[in-house]
Amino acid sequence: MKNIIFTLAVLWSTFTFSQIKGKVSDQKGQPIAFANIYVQDTYIGTTSNDNGHYEIYPKQNGTYVILFQFLGYKTEKRVVEYTGKSETLDVVLQTEDFQLNEVVIDAKVNPAIGIIKQAIANRKANGAKTGQYTCDFYSRGIFRVKNLPKTFMGQKIDFLDEVIDSTRSGILYLSETVSKLTFQKPDKLKEVIVASKVSGQDNGFSFNNAAQANFDFYENYIEINAKAISPIADNAFNYYRYTFEGSFADENNHLINKIKVTPKRMSEPAFEGYIYIEDQDYAIYAIDLSIKGSQSQNPALNTLHFKQSFSYNNKTKVWTKNTQTLDFDAGMFGFNFNGRFTYVYSNFDFPKQFERRTFTAEVLKFEENANKKDDAFWNTIRPVPLTSEESTDYVKKEILQTKRKSQPYLDSIDRKRNKFKWMDVLMGYTYSNSFKNRSFSYEGPVFNTAFNTVQGWKTQIGFNFTQRNEDKRTFYSIGTRLDYGFSEDRLRFSASYTQKLDNIRNSFLFISGGSTVNQFNPANPITDNINSISSSFFKNNFMKLYEKNALSVGYSGEIVNGFRLNANVEYADRKPLFNTTFQATVKSDDLYTSNNPLLPFDELTPAFTRHQLMKASFTGRFNFGQKYWTRPDGKFNMGNDDYPTLFVTYEKGFAASEKQYEFDFVSARIYQELSLGNKGEFVYNFKSGKFFNAENIAFPDFKHFNGNQTHVAGGGRYTNVFNNLPYYSASTNDAFIELHMEHNDQGYLMNKIPLLQKLNTQLVLGYHNLSVPNRAPYHEFTIGLDNLGFKKFKILRIDYVRSYQSGFVSDAVIFGLKFLNIVE
């Protein structure tokens, strides 16, 4: 019975209503995938699927001239009398005969150069012709896994067993969207998603959208991780060689030139393949280009292949992009993936101007019930027919979803996952009730054991309960921690409560209390693991700690678009701690420093005296020009690199056990990442602050700066840390100015240097400054190489740091591993 239902469901999902449909194939009968099919002099069109099948839904009865085109084949024209009944029109495309211009006879002349120069000269004018428009947009994304390993790092990979086939291959993700677009160059966009469909999710919202598909080769750069150079960019001749491979006439007798594009250096972000240029306006007729992952600074990616087709409208005299496909192949750690995104643009309109407030901060929204459309709707609106593989996947995963939502199935999965093993006592354990969306977890001591000179070897275990609301995408979580220091023979207990209140403002409530050991710098500039190695092997106990017995309540949420408030009130009883152990793994005559950062050789004097204090802090974050998506289940913010992000903080200490510990503190921070085209990215992070009435406050309330004395750093940018500054040498209760700047060339220079270009690395230049009263300004200059490693394992960064303060201070080499945490 199940097989009958499954078969009927597949047949229903492939059934089509009245339309013009058919198959596009070559002279040998092989299907032609992603041929461009459109109604002449209109913006009604589609593309064929993997099997060569296509469908067009005319809006009314009448005579239609339909054009079929595909790169390398002659355009075919068919006239159809459409009467409202389904018409089948199969088409066979003939191989195109490319003609070489007579000028090719002269070996000294390369006609491709002149054509590309004209295309560059007309680039802005041609791009402006489609600079603002409205249109209908369709996208489909499919993501497959190939030969999935059965195990990874000793762990079984079985959570996809019901999705993949016997070769451990199959579709992991399949989705579709239908949208209405309003666009104006360079980046104004409004997208309304009419329908959204995700295989295996009856309430799923596809993340396919037009902004992610806006690959415009009339622009200088194509944003694909790195900024790839368009073959008709202003500086394209610095990156490409061009070869003329012939020309042909299209259905409008426009001469189309086929130009082969070859990168001069395979280490740079440049494409390889073909660009087709029309010979009158020098507009783009088609794109058939690919780029390697190594060229786009993406080691997991093997290749990325673009295809775009443009059509000419004799009425508007405009070339418009009507189809686009994006194929990718990727892999890492034995996992191999491939996929394709298909995009169809239709029903263009080119208004001379848009009304005020057409474009707002909301760049994408979903219509009500966009994810609830039935098969009948999709069968009348989908411009590219599903393949049998895709139809089968929809039906298979719909049946699988029903099964997976049932309590018996979820209970059976939980029984398997909830089995307790003796190693879980050390490693940790999670008990889940999937049907009720709740879980209980235990954190074992293995990954929570470390060494410091205050507690000695210390270990921690934790318990956590989480309840989730899948419909509202909210949750609440209750957790406890037990922390025991063996040398100090002290057990500490803490508890916390976290609740996500809603998914529109992305607001949270936090409550925590108990006894904890904390670094003086709340940014935790040194991790437990690095400190354990630094202390026990080299007797460098850089981590300085104090005890806090506290109760705090906090709130975080977006008040209005672009402005987020973080507020926290805390009562704390704070007491100093002392070293309790001087043991080390490696014998050494070196001595540990004291736990007082101000008096490193005094083991008797505390950094502060015990006291109680109330503290309130408020931080506002302003994301200027912030844009966002809205879905029925939440709001999703998008960054805007055109503007900096501003943070403003006010902090007040009050109701102290002694008046001297009370204070006021204000600070501001400006952060921005600036794109410099293909020349890299520049980041700056500027901070400034001032204390008031704070002459005798406790050391934990000072402003501490993120130093580093271990010569080990985390991955990513280092624009929040001084990598050659002792941790607490510049701490202040007065005023400060802090500046970090870093430029990453993203291969712009390194890819041009012989031999070094084979490393596919990035040159990083940095400058860091810290100024506090009664202390000479501190400077750091850095030069480094990022993206170092072997083949796809680009996990290392190395920097040379040189510091100055009234003259040269010291230098160091910093090793960064991208999988380590860095100070935020």
Side-chain angles (χ1 to χ4, degrees):
M1 183 65 181
K2 288 183 179 179
N3 291 334
I4 295 174
I5 295 174
F6 182 84
T7 303
L8 291 174
V10 171
L11 290 173
W12 170 251
S13 68
T14 56
F15 178 79
T16 57
F17 294 82
S18 59
Q19 76 274 115
I20 300 170
K21 62 180 181 178
K23 182 177 181 180
V24 183
S25 56
D26 63 16
Q27 294 161 278
K28 296 181 180 179
Q30 296 299 312
I32 296 180
F34 298 96
N36 188 22
I37 303 113
Y38 63 99
V39 179
Q40 188 176 39
D41 294 334
T42 72
Y43 296 110
I44 300 172
T46 186
T47 185
S48 56
N49 66 15
D50 282 346
N51 300 323
H53 293 112
Y54 74 93
E55 295 172 1
I56 289 182
Y57 297 90
K59 293 184 177 181
Q60 58 188 17
N61 297 349
T63 302
Y64 291 88
V65 179
I66 302 178
L67 301 175
F68 300 80
Q69 65 183 40
F70 188 72
L71 297 179
Y73 292 84
K74 293 180 180 179
T75 299
E76 292 289 335
K77 182 186 296 186
R78 296 289 189 272
V79 178
V80 178
E81 291 291 339
Y82 181 70
T83 61
K85 298 180 180 179
S86 293
E87 297 281 347
T88 299
L89 183 61
D90 296 331
V91 173
V92 177
L93 298 186
Q94 307 294 317
T95 304
E96 182 66 73
D97 295 322
F98 287 92
Q99 303 296 322
L100 292 177
N101 291 349
E102 295 180 2
V103 74
V104 177
I105 298 173
D106 186 347
K108 296 180 180 180
V109 176
N110 181 358
I113 301 299
I115 295 168
I116 293 297
K117 283 183 176 180
Q118 287 289 348
I120 293 173
N122 289 275
R123 177 177 64 83
K124 290 184 178 179
N126 284 322
K129 291 178 181 178
T130 54
Q132 59 183 37
Y133 59 81
T134 63
C135 76
D136 294 335
F137 176 74
Y138 168 82
S139 67
R140 182 189 302 170
I142 186 168
F143 191 84
R144 302 181 184 90
V145 64
K146 299 185 300 181
N147 303 318
L148 182 71
K150 292 184 177 181
T151 61
F152 179 69
M153 298 183 67
Q155 299 295 315
K156 289 182 65 175
I157 303 174
D158 56 4
F159 58 92
L160 293 173
D161 284 357
E162 292 180 294
V163 174
I164 58 179
D165 60 23
S166 59
T167 67
R168 300 192 64 78
S169 303
I171 297 176
L172 297 185
Y173 175 79
L174 172 63
S175 71
E176 299 174 272
T177 60
V178 175
S179 313
K180 293 188 178 297
L181 302 186
T182 305
F183 177 76
Q184 181 177 318
K185 282 192 173 184
D187 58 2
K188 292 182 178 180
L189 176 68
K190 179 180 179 180
E191 180 174 7
V192 178
I193 293 184
V194 177
S196 174
K197 185 179 179 71
V198 180
S199 182
Q201 299 180 32
D202 57 8
N203 62 344
F205 292 97
S206 170
F207 277 94
N208 301 349
N209 63 84
Q212 295 176 341
N214 189 27
F215 301 107
D216 187 354
F217 284 84
Y218 284 121
E219 298 294 325
N220 281 320
Y221 310 111
I222 310 300
E223 191 76 53
I224 45 173
N225 193 43
K227 290 186 179 296
I229 313 298
S230 168
I232 57 172
D234 291 337
N235 58 347
F237 283 101
N238 294 331
Y239 294 87
Y240 291 105
R241 295 185 180 90
Y242 302 94
T243 305
F244 178 76
E245 293 208 346
S247 60
F248 62 93
D250 71 357
E251 68 280 359
N252 295 304
N253 285 323
H254 292 135
L255 191 65
I256 309 299
N257 299 293
K258 181 181 181 182
I259 309 294
K260 184 176 182 179
V261 175
T262 307
K264 287 186 175 180
R265 293 167 293 272
M266 293 303 294
S267 57
E268 293 185 314
F271 296 97
E272 185 173 16
Y274 296 92
I275 183 169
Y276 294 76
I277 302 294
E278 184 265 341
D279 204 50
Q280 184 175 344
D281 297 325
Y282 295 96
I284 297 175
Y285 172 83
I287 291 290
D288 188 2
L289 298 168
S290 62
I291 190 170
K292 295 181 179 179
S294 59
Q295 294 172 281
S296 59
Q297 304 289 338
N298 188 344
L301 179 68
N302 295 325
T303 57
L304 194 63
H305 191 176
F306 291 87
K307 279 190 176 182
Q308 295 180 350
S309 293
F310 293 72
S311 61
Y312 183 76
N313 190 310
N314 284 296
K315 297 176 183 178
T316 61
K317 309 298 183 186
V318 174
W319 289 90
T320 54
K321 177 174 65 179
N322 48 15
T323 62
Q324 174 178 277
T325 60
L326 179 63
D327 292 88
F328 65 89
D329 179 64
M332 185 172 277
F333 302 116
F335 295 84
N336 298 296
F337 305 96
N338 66 55
R340 170 178 287 157
F341 288 90
T342 304
Y343 309 102
V344 177
Y345 302 80
S346 60
N347 298 319
F348 279 93
D349 185 35
F350 301 99
K352 293 183 178 180
Q353 63 181 25
F354 291 114
E355 296 180 1
R356 271 189 79 189
R357 301 293 298 167
T358 295
F359 300 102
T360 63
E362 184 186 50
V363 297
L364 182 149
K365 73 174 182 180
F366 285 74
E367 285 190 350
E368 188 176 356
N369 296 321
N371 63 334
K372 302 297 184 182
K373 306 296 185 183
D374 58 18
D375 288 341
F377 172 87
W378 281 99
N379 288 334
T380 58
I381 200 169
R382 180 185 288 121
V384 184
L386 297 174
T387 64
S388 57
E389 177 193 31
E390 292 164 340
S391 296
T392 300
D393 187 73
Y394 272 130
V395 176
K396 174 183 176 182
K397 286 182 180 171
E398 182 179 353
I399 295 172
L400 185 59
Q401 179 188 226
T402 303
K403 171 185 172 183
R404 285 179 169 179
K405 281 186 173 182
S406 67
Q407 185 170 357
Y409 176 84
L410 292 173
D411 289 346
S412 68
I413 295 297
D414 286 342
R415 280 194 297 271
K416 181 178 179 181
R417 293 176 179 172
N418 291 340
K419 287 182 179 178
F420 185 83
K421 300 177 286 293
W422 70 269
M423 281 296 292
D424 293 338
V425 175
L426 301 175
M427 306 294 290
Y429 172 75
T430 297
Y431 178 88
S432 299
N433 186 324
S434 300
F435 186 74
K436 295 184 177 181
N437 293 312
R438 61 181 58 158
S439 64
F440 172 82
S441 63
Y442 157 73
E443 295 179 23
V446 168
F447 299 110
N448 293 289
T449 298
F451 175 82
N452 63 67
T453 54
V454 170
Q455 299 173 280
W457 284 101
K458 65 108 176 182
T459 192
Q460 183 182 86
I461 61 172
F463 301 91
N464 192 78
F465 172 80
T466 300
Q467 176 70 62
R468 299 187 178 277
N469 185 320
E470 294 295 329
D471 293 331
K472 295 182 178 180
R473 297 180 67 241
T474 59
F475 70 90
Y476 70 85
S477 179
I478 303 171
T480 62
R481 296 290 181 274
L482 296 172
D483 185 290
Y484 180 73
F486 287 88
S487 178
E488 65 170 350
D489 191 21
R490 175 72 188 277
L491 177 67
R492 294 180 175 85
F493 172 84
S494 62
S496 63
Y497 174 82
T498 301
Q499 182 176 356
K500 187 173 185 180
L501 302 174
D502 74 274
N503 204 43
I504 301 298
R505 298 184 183 276
N506 199 30
S507 57
F508 293 85
L509 173 68
F510 308 95
I511 302 174
S512 64
S515 181
T516 57
V517 174
N518 304 272
Q519 295 188 49
F520 287 106
N521 185 347
N524 298 322
I526 183 169
T527 65
D528 280 341
N529 291 334
I530 292 179
N531 182 72
S532 298
I533 297 171
S534 176
S535 298
S536 62
F537 284 90
F538 304 102
K539 281 200 169 180
N540 291 322
N541 57 324
F542 297 127
M543 183 180 285
K544 306 300 178 184
L545 305 166
Y546 73 99
E547 181 179 295
K548 181 166 68 173
N549 301 290
L551 175 66
S552 68
V553 178
Y555 169 82
S556 176
E558 188 176 54
I559 307 303
V560 296
N561 181 54
F563 174 67
R564 186 173 188 84
L565 176 66
N566 297 294
N568 188 77
V569 178
E570 175 187 84
Y571 168 79
D573 174 20
R574 303 186 293 191
K575 58 184 290 188
L577 297 174
F578 297 88
N579 288 339
T580 63
T581 182
F582 300 96
Q583 75 177 77
T585 302
V586 177
K587 291 184 177 180
S588 172
D589 294 330
D590 294 338
L591 298 176
Y592 283 119
T593 58
S594 75
N595 191 49
N596 184 344
L598 303 175
L599 298 171
F601 303 107
D602 186 342
E603 289 285 352
L604 302 177
T605 304
F608 63 96
T609 57
R610 183 174 181 175
H611 63 278
Q612 294 79 43
L613 179 70
M614 291 282 290
K615 186 189 289 189
S617 64
F618 305 90
T619 297
R621 186 187 70 189
F622 300 84
N623 284 332
F624 300 107
Q626 176 177 280
K627 299 177 181 180
Y628 62 91
W629 300 354
T630 53
R631 299 191 334 190
D633 62 344
K635 176 174 180 280
F636 300 85
N637 296 325
M638 303 167 59
N640 191 333
D641 295 342
D642 293 337
Y643 303 95
T645 298
L646 171 65
F647 299 83
V648 178
T649 297
Y650 172 69
E651 188 174 285
K652 184 175 182 62
F654 62 100
S657 56
E658 295 184 41
K659 191 70 175 178
Q660 69 184 48
Y661 296 119
E662 298 179 2
F663 66 93
D664 295 274
F665 173 70
V666 293
S667 67
R669 172 188 170 205
I670 299 177
Y671 176 86
Q672 188 175 13
E673 301 176 7
L674 293 170
S675 173
L676 303 179
N678 69 317
K679 297 175 180 61
E681 193 169 57
F682 177 76
V683 181
Y684 69 86
N685 190 10
F686 176 80
K687 306 177 186 179
S688 183
K690 179 73 171 71
F691 284 88
F692 299 91
N693 308 313
E695 291 80 6
N696 297 303
I697 63 173
F699 192 65
D701 296 315
F702 278 45
K703 172 61 182 178
H704 305 291
F705 304 98
N706 299 324
N708 187 4
Q709 294 171 265
T710 65
H711 297 177
V712 177
R717 299 185 182 94
Y718 300 177
T719 50
N720 202 26
V721 62
F722 297 95
N723 269 314
N724 207 25
L725 177 73
Y727 291 102
Y728 297 99
S729 61
S731 298
T732 182
N733 61 343
D734 195 344
F736 70 92
I737 294 176
E738 181 179 357
L739 174 64
H740 303 271
M741 297 188 297
E742 182 177 277
H743 175 251
N744 186 320
D745 84 325
Q746 294 187 334
Y748 176 75
L749 292 175
M750 296 303 297
N751 289 339
K752 294 177 174 63
I753 302 175
L755 297 180
L756 289 180
Q757 66 181 6
K758 296 183 181 297
L759 296 176
N760 197 26
T761 60
Q762 302 166 353
L763 177 67
V764 185
L765 302 175
Y767 170 71
H768 310 262
N769 173 270
L770 177 60
S771 298
V772 298
N774 305 315
R775 190 175 188 271
Y778 175 82
H779 309 270
E780 280 185 3
F781 298 88
T782 67
I783 181 170
L785 291 178
D786 198 0
N787 209 43
L788 291 169
F790 176 72
K791 292 186 177 180
K792 293 190 176 186
F793 302 96
K794 301 286 189 175
I795 61 173
L796 180 64
R797 169 172 166 172
I798 298 177
D799 289 84
Y800 172 69
V801 182
R802 195 171 180 89
S803 55
Y804 295 85
Q805 190 174 19
S806 298
F808 173 74
V809 177
S810 64
D811 56 2
V813 175
I814 305 296
F815 296 89
L817 297 174
K818 293 186 179 181
F819 53 79
L820 293 179
N821 292 326
I822 192 171
V823 175
E824 295 293 338

